Each structure stands twice: as structure tokens, then as C-alpha cells.
Amino acid sequence: MKTLILSCCIILLCIEVQAQQSVYNSGNLTIASNASMMVTGDLVNTSTASLRNNGTLNLKSNLSNTGTFASDSGLTEFIGTALQQITGSTAFYNLHINNSSTGIMLNNSISVAHDLNMEDGNVDLNGSNITLGTLATLLNETNDKRIFGSSGVITTTRSLNAPNKLNVGGMGAILTTSANLGSTTVSRGHSIQMNGSDFSVQRYFDITPTNNSALDARLRFSYFDNELAGMTESDMVMWRSTDGGSTWSILSIDSADYSANYVVKSGIPAFSRWTINGQNWGGLPVELLHFTADCEQGNRQLSWAVASETNNSYFTVARSADGISYQNISTIQGAGNGGYHEYQYIDAEVLPLSTVYYRLQQTDNDGVQKTFPAVSSSSCSNETTTTQILIYPNPFTEIIYVRLEAKEAGTILLGIYDGEAKLLRSQPLECAVGMNVFAVDLQHLAKGEYHVTISQGSTVTSTMIMKN
């Protein structure tokens, strides 16, 4: 790719300039109010440079700024067709995200003085912050073009006197109170908040006013469907924390509009950290760690373990000769509620089959059932050749790692299944003797619950994973 190097003082006046390559600015570059500049390659503003945008700056690739980037009235618009990145602390006036691909990713914190317009594409905070100025507004954010990130916040500080249904900075926390709050900081983050084994949606607000007592305030908490993490909206309650998320109080809501994606709480005496959660949500009813079919003294032994279970009534074991038609062969009583627990079932029936398939189904106390992906058992004369299989992290965002120890070299088969036991991916993994670690990229999967099977010889292990 060709590079255009600017090392002198350049003022673009009332014209349109297209740079069909990367631009390295090491001098002074000013885009006047009636001028525009488009850069198809990277725009690099070096440490000795100054770039002042009072016109329109269109970027089709990345922006790297280690110098001075100033804007009194200009528009900077990201219009790429692949992921774009912003590196270096940068102060924008108007910032428009119009990326037809996944959007942009921040590598450093930025500020926006006027409009942050989400026209197309997401913004991944990636651990950085967005600061909205006192007159800045987040515009046109939707479920499919939104700001997200497991760390980092979007924040603003305003002077608020008796706000009435005020959507502060357009971030989705809508405040009403007759009190003079004074200088108030509102921050929105997207990391999941934990309360024991319960977890929140992928959104929370920190609201910190100067005057924070006897407010009798009303908070309308807005959210997107993609932030629900599988929760049922009709079960929503509010959580409030006064210690930054270490401990939580659970509060009922006063009203909700699930089609418009918001819940409302009134009579709030003081603001703090707020999020929402499903009232009856306590994680998965059964958090399955593994499900295996091994050989024990000539019989097929089924083993499974759960990390936790809530209202678990019983398990049903079913057997199949072809992996399609199953017959229930046993019911195993569940522990009901609790933490780690191991279960076993020995199928002592001698079957003249080279391969037998087993399926595990779990039933809650309220009759709701969940079926896990099947495992298979072939000849019981083969020894298991793998030990200690670990899949992490769980929950994950993009990549899982499969760690296993092999007693001999060979190929194992990894399978990814959805909640309806439909095979989404099958991938062979070549193992060497000893410890092996494989990275499996699952960023294309939607958020939700999946099952991973590891097959080698007569042993199949099934593990549940969750994508956030």
C-alpha cells in the first residue's frame, strides 16, 4: 500500500481531497469548515503532529493518534467495510460510526463533544472508555448497532436540577426527581454483575449525584435484547449496589414495557449502581460438567457430574442402536438443589452392537425438560487413551481452549451442538503424547448455551459451555 506523508502546514479550504493510501501526518494539518478529506488507508497522526478537523474527515481504515487531534465543529466518520480501530486518546466533536462490517474497536479512551451517532456497526470498548461532553448525545443506538464490551464504560457528567424523564446523554438511564442533584456522573458498563450464583444482564449504570439523599427518584432502565444473556424479561427485577457491585439488594419493579425494552423503579431514595436480572434466574437449572460412556468390567458405565443444580427433579437415561430412535432405560433421582454432584449408571444388558448411543435428559420440579447431546460407546475392549479434559474459559466470548492429556498419539473429534442437540461443528484434533492445548474459535456463534463433545476410542465426554 502506498503512503502519503504530510510534514508541513496544510490547510484544506472548501475542497474535497481523497487520499487513496495511508496518510502519515507529522506536521500541521487543518481541515477547514467547508472542506472534506477521505482516507482509504490508515490515518496516522504522529507524536509531533497536529490535526484539526473543522470539516469532514471520512476514514475507511484505522486511526492512530499519538499527537494532537482537535475538533471545534468537525465530523469524523468511520465508513469502513471491515473492523476499524482507534488507537491513541482522541477528542472528537461529532463522531459517526457508519461501518458496514462489525464496527470499530477502541484501543484507548476517547471523548466526544457533541454527537456520537451510531449509523451502522458496533463499538467495542475493549477496556477503554468513551466520555461524552456536557452537550454530547449518543444517537441511533439499537440492538444491532450498539456499544458493548466486557470492560470499559461510556460516561458523562452533567449538572442536573429536577430532571424530568431525562435520558442523560442518550445512554438509556432516564431520571426523574424534583431534587437538585447538582453535578451528576452517569456511567454505563456492560460487564455481567454477579450476586452469588445469579448474574445480571450485560448492562449496568453507575449514577453518582452530588446531592444523593431523600431523592424520591424514578429510574427507567433501558436495555437491548442482545444484552439479556438468555433471561426471561417477564421475570425482571432491579438490583441495587452501594459498594460498586460487591453486594446487591433485590428490588421489585413498578412497571415495564418489554417490547420497548425498559423497566421502571420509583421511590428511589438515593442513586448508586443499578442493573436488572430475572427474578427466578439462578444460572442454568443444571450446570453439566461432563457426560461420559466408559467400559467397566465388560459393562457400559455412564458417568456425569454437575457443578450445580437448582430444582432438579430427576435424570432420564435413554439408549439407541442408531443414534436416532431412543428408548428410556433408567430414571436417576436428582439432588434437587446444591453444588457439585456426581452420578453413575451401569448398563449391564449385553447388546450385540458395535456402537451404542446414550442420551441424558434432565427434568425440573416444574416439569421443564432439557436434553443433552448424546454420547456413544463402542467395543468395551478398548482402553481409554485420554485423561483430564478441561475446556475453558466458561462462559466464553470468542475462543475456547481444550486441554487434555493423551496417553498415546492420535486423533480426537470435537463436536459443537446447540441447545436442541443439533451438530454445528465437527473438528478433528491431532494429539501428541502428553498434554495438549487446542484453541477453538467460536466467535461466529450467537450468545447462548452450547455443548462440546470430545470423542476418542470408546469414550465420549460432553460438556456444557455458555457464550456471553
Side-chain angles (χ1 to χ4, degrees):
M1 179 179 289
K2 295 182 178 179
T3 300
L4 177 63
I5 300 176
L6 304 177
S7 58
C8 57
C9 180
I10 297 178
I11 302 177
L12 305 181
L13 297 170
C14 304
I15 58 174
E16 179 176 340
V17 176
Q18 293 196 26
Q20 303 294 335
Q21 60 267 313
S22 296
V23 171
Y24 282 74
N25 178 39
S26 57
N28 296 319
L29 173 62
T30 298
I31 304 174
S33 59
N34 293 324
S36 64
M37 179 176 181
M38 178 183 292
V39 181
T40 59
D42 292 344
L43 174 58
V44 179
N45 196 48
T46 65
S47 59
T48 60
S50 171
L51 193 159
R52 180 171 294 276
N53 176 28
N54 292 326
T56 301
L57 175 60
N58 292 315
L59 300 175
K60 288 191 173 183
S61 190
N62 303 317
L63 170 64
S64 176
N65 172 49
T66 55
T68 300
F69 189 106
S71 185
D72 298 326
S73 59
L75 164 64
T76 303
E77 185 170 16
F78 286 81
I79 57 173
T81 57
L83 177 67
Q84 295 177 266
Q85 300 188 48
I86 299 177
T87 302
S89 298
T90 306
F92 300 96
Y93 184 76
N94 288 318
L95 175 62
H96 288 196
I97 310 303
N98 195 7
N99 179 290
S100 62
S101 181
T102 56
I104 70 170
M105 182 172 69
L106 303 183
N107 294 311
N108 297 93
S109 296
I110 65 171
S111 64
V112 180
H114 196 256
D115 289 343
L116 173 51
N117 197 331
M118 303 291 294
E119 297 181 15
D120 196 9
N122 297 317
V123 175
D124 183 353
L125 293 172
N126 190 35
S128 299
N129 301 328
I130 299 176
T131 300
L132 300 179
T134 57
L135 300 176
T137 305
L138 174 61
L139 300 171
N140 297 318
E141 189 183 25
T142 68
N143 189 59
D144 300 317
K145 44 179 183 173
R146 61 189 177 92
I147 295 171
F148 71 96
S150 58
S151 58
V153 298
I154 176 170
T155 184
T156 190
T157 300
R158 311 284 172 94
S159 180
L160 303 181
N161 186 0
N164 183 24
K165 298 180 180 178
L166 177 64
N167 187 359
V168 183
M171 295 190 298
I174 302 173
L175 310 183
T176 299
T177 178
S178 60
N180 184 354
L181 300 178
S183 179
T184 303
T185 298
V186 178
S187 299
R188 190 183 94 190
H190 303 89
S191 61
I192 290 177
Q193 305 298 292
M194 301 299 300
N195 183 22
S197 62
D198 288 356
F199 55 88
S200 73
V201 300
Q202 293 173 325
R203 175 178 289 211
Y204 68 89
F205 290 102
D206 281 322
I207 305 172
T208 311
T210 300
N211 171 27
N212 198 25
S213 62
L215 300 182
D216 190 23
R218 180 178 184 267
L219 169 62
R220 183 171 127 178
F221 188 113
S222 302
Y223 60 90
F224 293 125
D225 287 335
N226 282 341
E227 297 171 331
L228 287 174
M231 297 181 189
T232 302
E233 291 175 277
S234 59
D235 290 336
M236 288 298 181
V237 293
M238 276 199 179
W239 285 4
R240 179 195 180 198
S241 175
T242 58
D243 54 12
S246 296
T247 59
W248 294 90
S249 299
I250 302 176
L251 307 174
S252 62
I253 60 174
D254 297 316
S255 60
D257 187 333
Y258 302 122
S259 61
N261 294 115
Y262 69 79
V263 298
V264 176
K265 179 63 181 176
S266 301
I268 296 172
F271 284 121
S272 52
R273 177 169 291 192
W274 298 82
T275 188
I276 51 178
N277 165 277
Q279 183 176 10
N280 299 318
W281 187 268
L284 300 171
V286 168
E287 186 179 353
L288 185 69
L289 293 175
H290 66 79
F291 176 39
T292 62
D294 298 310
C295 294
E296 182 69 25
Q297 297 180 352
N299 298 319
R300 291 181 171 93
Q301 177 175 289
L302 305 182
S303 303
W304 63 98
V306 299
S308 63
E309 49 192 308
T310 304
N311 298 322
N312 177 29
S313 180
Y314 59 89
F315 293 96
T316 302
V317 177
R319 184 177 60 210
S320 171
D322 56 9
I324 300 174
S325 300
Y326 283 85
Q327 178 183 7
N328 293 341
I329 59 174
S330 183
T331 298
I332 310 297
Q333 192 68 29
N337 299 283
Y340 181 83
H341 197 92
E342 295 181 347
Y343 296 89
Q344 286 187 347
Y345 172 73
I346 295 178
D347 184 8
E349 184 173 351
V350 178
L351 298 173
L353 299 171
S354 59
T355 301
V356 178
Y357 301 87
Y358 294 96
R359 190 177 64 191
L360 186 68
Q361 185 180 71
Q362 177 264 331
T363 302
D364 293 347
N365 289 334
D366 57 6
V368 176
Q369 295 181 325
K370 178 165 187 60
T371 301
F372 300 100
V375 298
S376 62
S377 174
S378 55
S379 172
C380 284
S381 62
N382 295 331
E383 284 191 355
T384 300
T385 55
T386 62
T387 62
Q388 191 184 357
I389 298 175
L390 177 64
I391 298 177
Y392 63 94
N394 192 12
F396 72 101
T397 55
E398 293 185 351
I399 295 175
I400 61 170
Y401 294 90
V402 180
R403 189 179 74 182
L404 59 91
E405 183 181 352
K407 294 181 180 179
E408 61 183 45
T411 302
I412 67 170
L413 184 63
L414 177 141
I416 306 293
Y417 296 82
D418 63 14
E420 298 179 351
K422 178 183 177 182
L423 180 62
L424 303 178
R425 180 172 177 176
S426 179
Q427 179 177 335
L429 302 175
E430 297 297 330
C431 292
V433 176
M435 190 60 67
N436 298 262
V437 179
F438 302 96
V440 182
D441 188 347
L442 300 178
Q443 61 179 324
H444 65 287
L445 295 181
K447 295 176 182 178
E449 179 186 349
Y450 298 91
H451 295 268
V452 179
T453 61
I454 303 292
S455 306
Q456 185 181 37
S458 62
T459 301
V460 180
T461 300
S462 177
T463 302
M464 182 281 297
I465 58 175
M466 174 71 75
K467 182 172 184 180
N468 288 339

